[in-house]
Amino acid sequence: QVQLVESGGGSVQAGQSLRLSCAVSGFSYMNYCMGWFRQAPGKEREGVAALGSDGTIRYAPSVSGRFIISKDNVPNTLYLDMDSLKPEDAAMYYCAADAWYCRTPDTFATGFFGFWGQGTRVSVSS
C-alpha cells in the first residue's frame, strides 16, 4: 500500500524559508515522477515542482529560482526547499507520485498522478 505523508508546513513571514518533507512508503516502482502541488482557498490545485527517475526536474514559473525539489532514497523522502516565501505561496501543499516518467508537456496534470498525500499547510504573512 502506497503512502505519502507530508510534514514541515507552518506559518512564516514573507522572505523566510521552509522545508517540506514527504515520507514515501510502499512505492517500489523503478520509473516514477514525484511532485509537489499546492491549493489555495478558492483556487485550483496547481503544480509546483516535479522530479523524475530519469533526472527530469520541472518547476512552475512562479517558484522557479526560489524552490528546490530533491529526493533521498534512504529513507525514501521527497523534499521541497522553499526560499524567499511570498504571501501568494500560502496554500495546502500536497506530495504526489506516479509510476512512470514525468510527462512532457503537461508535467503538472493532476490526473496523471495516482498517489497523493493528505497535505501540509503553509501560511505566509506579509
Side-chain angles (χ1 to χ4, degrees):
Q1 180 179 356
V2 176
Q3 283 193 316
L4 307 175
V5 180
E6 302 95 335
S7 62
S11 297
V12 298
Q13 292 189 327
Q16 293 186 326
S17 302
L18 273 178
R19 170 177 253 206
L20 304 184
S21 300
C22 174
V24 182
S25 61
F27 189 89
S28 58
Y29 301 97
M30 290 186 61
N31 303 322
Y32 61 80
C33 183
M34 294 190 177
W36 288 96
F37 291 75
R38 66 187 181 188
Q39 187 167 18
K43 295 188 176 182
E44 291 189 356
R45 190 169 298 190
E46 63 175 358
V48 174
L51 181 151
S53 55
D54 60 351
T56 298
I57 292 181
R58 296 275 188 271
Y59 294 101
S62 60
V63 307
S64 182
R66 299 188 298 122
F67 291 10
I68 296 176
I69 187 171
S70 62
K71 184 178 178 296
D72 281 340
N73 291 327
V74 181
N76 196 358
T77 305
L78 186 72
Y79 300 100
L80 185 68
D81 287 290
M82 306 186 293
D83 290 331
S84 303
L85 282 161
K86 304 175 181 180
E88 52 264 42
D89 294 319
M92 184 72 84
Y93 281 72
Y94 298 91
C95 172
D98 183 40
W100 195 241
Y101 301 113
C102 293
R103 287 158 176 81
T104 304
D106 300 328
T107 302
F108 297 123
T110 56
F112 290 141
F113 289 83
F115 306 101
W116 291 84
Q118 294 300 305
T120 185
R121 185 169 298 281
V122 173
S123 299
V124 184
S125 58
S126 56

